Amino acid sequence: MTRLVEQLGQLPGIGPKSAQRLAFYIINMPEEKVKSLSQTMVDARENVHYCKECTTFTDGELCPICSNPKRDHGVIMVVENPRDLAAYEKTGQYNGVYHVLHGAISPMLGIGPADIRLRELMQRLAGDVSEVIIATNKNLEGDATATYISKLVKPMNIKVSRIASGVPVGGNLEYIDEVTLLRALEGRTEL
Ligand code: ZN
């Protein structure tokens, strides 16, 4: 029991109290369900990796979006994480593809351009790309990342835009409703 509480407490956002609550919940679960849960975790860790194109999580070589020929592969929306990608996908209105940075530039936290998936983005831009839409979060880190990317992309003669400020300041994209997300996308401004 102590070991379980200890290990659960190592998960992000789980304090000692939550870890204890979860541990009690787990030992009261039917044994079959616990086995299924732990096996699902093992399977996910073994089978899920980064998409070769956009670096989102997938169990194939390419994610379903990158391997879809009906998507516009010339328009790339840059997001901070797979959760933001999922939020935009839920709107069902965006037909381009994505690039997942897995973070944002933050001098305060010591996260530089080399620590996020920027190199992979630049490699993709060598191909046939007409627009890069920067949809990083509307906060200090997201803005710094957007500025950095636009400076890199502009000299390549590719249109660079930033989603509109319909997204509340400091807002995490994943918590924003679909209408607001669509408005932010449609109202994007060229950088
Ligand atoms: Zn992909």
Side-chain angles (χ1 to χ4, degrees):
M1 189 70 186
T2 315
R3 222 155 39 106
L4 182 59
V5 172
E6 223 175 71
Q7 293 201 22
L8 287 169
Q10 286 166 7
L11 296 171
I14 309 286
K17 268 194 185 157
S18 301
Q20 205 169 49
R21 196 165 44 85
L22 281 172
F24 276 120
Y25 184 83
I26 290 167
I27 54 167
N28 280 308
M29 272 166 80
E31 213 176 315
E32 276 314 300
K33 287 217 162 166
V34 178
K35 274 185 183 152
S36 154
L37 173 66
S38 58
Q39 193 55 49
T40 304
M41 287 162 90
V42 173
D43 289 348
R45 182 63 187 86
E46 274 178 358
N47 298 321
V48 177
H49 43 252
Y50 294 119
C51 167
K52 269 200 167 159
E53 276 291 302
C54 71
T55 81
T56 194
F57 295 127
T58 181
D59 55 6
E61 194 155 296
L62 287 175
C63 72
I65 298 166
C66 288
S67 55
N68 185 350
K70 286 186 186 141
R71 305 287 295 228
D72 184 350
H73 291 253
V75 179
I76 300 178
M77 187 196 288
V78 180
V79 294
E80 290 185 18
N81 55 56
R83 295 188 304 270
D84 293 343
L85 182 157
Y88 268 103
E89 272 306 279
K90 246 175 77 189
T91 68
Q93 301 290 315
Y94 173 68
N95 194 42
V97 291
Y98 298 89
H99 188 84
V100 181
L101 294 172
H102 293 280
I105 296 170
S106 169
M108 250 178 21
L109 296 172
I111 301 168
D115 300 315
I116 57 177
R117 299 286 176 136
L118 258 182
R119 200 162 38 94
E120 290 86 343
L121 174 65
M122 299 315 287
Q123 279 164 2
R124 292 177 74 186
L125 297 185
D128 202 4
V129 175
S130 59
E131 184 179 1
V132 172
I133 302 168
I134 306 175
T136 49
N137 287 336
K138 287 280 180 179
N139 53 28
L140 216 65
E141 292 80 16
D143 288 343
T145 309
T147 307
Y148 190 89
I149 293 173
S150 79
K151 276 186 187 153
L152 284 177
V153 177
K154 261 193 201 164
M156 305 174 87
N157 274 327
I158 296 170
K159 189 176 162 192
V160 197
S161 58
R162 173 90 162 110
I163 53 163
S165 46
V167 177
V169 173
N172 266 331
L173 292 184
E174 57 180 311
Y175 299 121
I176 293 161
D177 68 272
E178 288 158 38
V179 178
T180 310
L181 272 185
L182 276 181
R183 225 180 282 148
L185 179 60
E186 278 158 11
R188 65 185 182 272
T189 45
E190 213 170 322
L191 292 174

